[in-house]
Every structure is written in C-alpha cells, then in structure tokens.
Amino acid sequence: MGIPLGDNCTIEAGLYITAGTKIEVYKENGEPDGVLKGSELSNCTNLVFLRNSQNGKVIAKTNQKSINLNSELHKND
C-alpha cells in the first residue's frame, strides 16, 4: 500500500512508495539528512520524490517549485 502525500509534493512518474520503502532524505542545502521509511514521510509537505537512475535509491528533496491554481478558473459562484 502507498503512502498519502502532503501538500505541494511531487512524485516521479512510475515511482511507487510504500510504507516500508527506504528513502534517502536531503536537506534544502543538498546535504544528506538520513534514511527514513515511507511511513515516516507520510503526509509531509513540500517534497519531491525521485529514483536515482545510477543506483536505484529513492530520494526525497525539498520541492523548490510551487503550483498555484488560477483563482478565476476555480471560483465557486
């Protein structure tokens, strides 16, 4: 079973994260911050989840991009 993502999270196409997936976490400055299980990152916000194409490890970095909805297109009148 996968984990719930928090706000402003992006996950690489084809990547599936389970509660037991080991994920290398990186700080905003790019320094390693340890390895956590997917369940420990459940509902965390502002993360990008990727797979390292050279070694296959799943990594999580701070999401530097923000997606804002167009308020005119999403009005509830």
Side-chain angles (χ1 to χ4, degrees):
M1 177 177 242
I3 64 166
L5 299 176
D7 292 336
N8 199 33
C9 284
T10 304
I11 190 163
E12 179 180 273
L15 181 61
Y16 187 79
I17 299 173
T18 64
T21 301
K22 291 192 170 54
I23 303 169
E24 286 188 5
V25 180
Y26 289 85
K27 298 177 185 177
E28 284 189 45
N29 64 5
E31 294 288 322
D33 197 25
V35 177
L36 298 174
K37 288 184 178 182
S39 60
E40 296 174 278
L41 293 173
S42 175
N43 292 310
C44 287
T45 60
N46 299 314
L47 292 175
V48 176
F49 295 92
L50 307 163
R51 183 173 301 277
N52 184 314
S53 63
Q54 294 181 342
N55 61 24
K57 293 180 179 179
V58 177
I59 61 175
K61 298 179 179 183
T62 302
N63 192 352
Q64 301 296 327
K65 297 181 180 178
S66 179
I67 299 171
N68 295 314
L69 297 177
N70 182 323
S71 60
E72 287 298 310
L73 294 175
H74 292 88
K75 280 197 294 190
N76 285 331
D77 289 334

